[in-house]
Amino acid sequence: MMTTSKTQHNHILESQQFTRTWLEKVFFPQANLMRKAIATKGYEGSLVGKSGCLLFYEPSTRTRVSFEQAAAKLGMSFSSTENARDFSSAVKGESLIDTIRVMNALRFDTIILRHFTEGAAQEAASVSTIPVINAGDGKGQHPTQALLDIYTIYHKLGTVDGLTISFVGDLANGRTVRSLAFLLSMFKNITFNFVAPEAFQMRDDILSYLLEKKVSVRLVSRLADVSKESDVVYLTRIQKERTDKRFLKADEAHVKLTAQILESLPKNSILLHPLPRDEAFGELPEEYTNDSRVAIFEQVENGLYTRMALLKLLLA
Ligand code: NCD
């Protein structure tokens, strides 16, 4: 149900595998139940006896800890390699697929994988009979971030249909905007503003996907030009580790939140960011953190509920 024919064994690899019906009828209600369980009991406990293996080959704070916390709240045990690039058998020359076979043989119930190579999750899934969850594959995708982002939009605004969403920053190298664009395009009358300097614009694969689906897309170079009409502004940092291209500071590149832009945003709009924000680049200055429209820590909280929901739907 969570899968297409492309993905056997319930792997979570890319956000195109979900459907709108599944999101609205299954996933959002499950995430709401998790919110309620945490609010009332602080614990959910339906996956006692299950275990997960977190294999992280790239830096992460919130995604890894959020999965660990989700697993713990469900009663699962987990094993975590937070710097698999340096501390796993990869250093000794082991291939990714061999590591995945090992985790299958050890009878884990799921593998949560973050890797620096685009396509790594697909590769891992090709040898895994337990679900592989893609927690970020290079410049590829980050489907569980997209699930928490769209749940946050749905929860805050009550609908996704008809929204104008402005994605801002390094859209060429960020994987969160890619996964979220696929998900949002499943809803009706969506308008995308992709706000980035030319060299950092959304890549062609997404643009042609959206064109084919007849989703309205505008390529824009300054956030100030579209802030007035944005229901959701999704800011991102420059992905320094994934590009050699020179990027100006956020203000020089016109992808920074300023007092003027904040002023021009609709009252009931929301501002999102997958975090971490980059203080040096300066896309979302500290001084605006407490504006009522800035929902970045609600996103983190929703990450707990949505990852609990996903684990429960996959493993219960
Ligand atoms: C994002 C990622 O890893 O892609 N972080 C996250 O998981 N929340 C965004 C980023 O690193 O810029």
Side-chain angles (χ1 to χ4, degrees):
M1 195 184 20
M2 227 175 303
T3 60
T4 64
S5 52
K6 273 191 287 184
T7 56
Q8 293 153 15
H9 304 302
N10 272 339
H11 302 301
I12 303 297
L13 303 178
E14 54 180 26
S15 52
Q16 304 93 300
Q17 77 185 77
F18 306 119
T19 62
R20 174 177 182 160
T21 310
W22 178 79
L23 286 171
E24 290 185 309
K25 297 277 180 324
V26 180
F27 185 70
F28 294 160
Q30 188 64 244
N32 288 338
L33 288 176
M34 296 300 162
R35 178 190 299 279
K36 200 180 274 173
I38 296 301
T40 54
K41 299 179 287 182
Y43 185 74
E44 205 270 349
S46 62
L47 293 183
V48 171
K50 302 280 182 183
S51 61
C53 179
L54 289 94
L55 275 176
F56 277 59
Y57 291 82
E58 252 197 353
S60 167
T61 312
R62 81 219 76 239
T63 302
R64 184 173 52 82
V65 175
S66 151
F67 266 114
E68 289 178 354
Q69 180 72 333
K73 295 287 185 190
L74 290 160
M76 283 175 75
S77 63
F78 53 87
S79 174
S80 211
T81 311
E82 71 172 276
N83 191 356
R85 194 171 190 165
D86 297 328
F87 295 132
S88 76
S89 294
V91 189
K92 302 183 188 170
E94 185 170 69
S95 67
L96 174 64
I97 52 174
D98 257 7
T99 306
I100 299 298
R101 288 181 180 120
V102 168
M103 301 316 162
N104 273 258
L106 289 173
R107 292 292 178 261
F108 282 103
D109 297 293
T110 182
I111 294 166
I112 298 155
L113 176 71
R114 168 166 289 191
H115 202 276
F116 47 89
T117 309
E118 187 166 352
Q122 296 274 1
E123 188 189 341
S126 72
V127 296
S128 186
T129 57
I130 56 172
V132 170
I133 301 178
N134 180 5
D137 63 324
K139 293 182 188 182
Q141 285 221 19
H142 194 348
T144 67
Q145 177 74 39
L147 288 173
L148 80 87
D149 289 335
I150 198 164
Y151 175 73
T152 302
I153 294 170
Y154 193 82
H155 194 75
K156 299 279 297 175
L157 301 178
T159 182
V160 179
D161 288 327
L163 296 180
T164 297
I165 296 112
S166 298
F167 282 119
V168 188
D170 185 357
L171 310 183
N173 304 299
R175 53 199 173 198
T176 65
V177 284
R178 292 170 52 76
S179 287
L180 185 55
F182 281 123
L183 267 196
L184 290 167
S185 71
M186 293 169 191
F187 289 76
K188 288 202 195 95
N189 299 323
I190 297 291
T191 302
F192 285 116
N193 295 314
F194 293 143
V195 187
E198 214 177 313
F200 294 84
Q201 259 300 356
M202 199 63 105
R203 284 191 266 154
D204 282 342
D205 60 337
I206 305 257
L207 295 177
S208 33
Y209 180 90
L210 296 174
L211 188 70
E212 202 171 296
K213 295 196 75 176
K214 302 199 164 36
V215 179
S216 155
V217 169
R218 285 180 298 204
L219 303 185
V220 182
S221 54
R222 299 154 52 99
L223 175 56
D225 293 341
V226 291
S227 52
K228 276 192 293 303
E229 54 186 87
S230 301
D231 300 301
V232 179
V233 174
Y234 193 101
L235 298 159
T236 63
R237 70 181 174 95
I238 162 89
Q239 304 278 307
K240 290 180 281 222
E241 70 275 40
R242 304 190 203 289
T243 180
D244 302 327
K245 294 204 176 114
R246 209 177 86 77
F247 206 103
L248 304 163
K249 286 266 167 70
D251 53 349
E252 295 156 334
H254 307 289
V255 292
K256 176 181 175 154
L257 182 67
T258 62
Q260 242 173 355
I261 287 173
L262 207 47
E263 179 70 21
S264 71
L265 284 170
K267 285 274 170 298
N268 52 358
S269 60
I270 56 172
L271 273 140
L272 304 179
H273 191 304
L275 300 179
R277 51 179 156 167
D278 181 348
E279 282 198 289
F281 180 56
E283 72 278 13
L284 202 181
E286 165 63 28
E287 59 194 297
Y288 307 129
T289 306
N290 294 324
D291 186 278
S292 62
R293 289 163 294 190
V294 174
I296 56 180
F297 296 107
E298 280 170 71
Q299 281 172 278
V300 178
E301 182 181 342
N302 290 336
L304 174 64
Y305 308 140
T306 51
R307 289 185 171 116
M308 287 175 72
L310 189 68
L311 287 171
K312 182 162 179 184
L313 290 168
L314 279 175
L315 305 179

